[in-house]
Amino acid sequence: LGGRQRPAAVLTNHLSVRGVVTALGWFKPLIRAFPTDGLPEALDYLGVDRARLPVIEAQIRRLRAQL
């Protein structure tokens, strides 16, 4: 990445995890936490076109099925 920072989004409903992400944001300001139903907002934050949402949701379902 050549030293450049990139935004990061964490999706979780655990308030403690979101608190930790907020604290990390004091040092790495490009990280944000979103609730698990906030995928569209997280994609907006990351600069991902919302038209890709169905493909991303399908991939998430496939990954969850492997767990």
Side-chain angles (χ1 to χ4, degrees), residues 32-55:
R32 286 192 49 196
F34 299 86
T36 54
D37 63 355
L39 181 58
E41 293 80 9
L43 293 178
D44 288 344
Y45 175 70
L46 295 172
V48 176
D49 185 357
R50 276 201 187 194
R52 296 186 54 130
L53 182 60
V55 173

Side-chain angles (χ1 to χ4, degrees), residues 12-64:
T12 181
N13 284 331
H14 295 278
L15 293 178
S16 59
V17 174
R18 288 168 57 186
V20 169
V21 172
T22 298
L24 286 172
W26 298 334
F27 304 97
K28 298 288 185 182
L30 295 180
I31 190 168
R32 286 192 49 196
F34 299 86
T36 54
D37 63 355
L39 181 58
E41 293 80 9
L43 293 178
D44 288 344
Y45 175 70
L46 295 172
V48 176
D49 185 357
R50 276 201 187 194
R52 296 186 54 130
L53 182 60
V55 173
I56 294 168
E57 288 175 325
Q59 183 62 32
I60 290 170
R61 283 191 299 276
R62 281 192 290 275
L63 289 169
R64 283 184 177 156

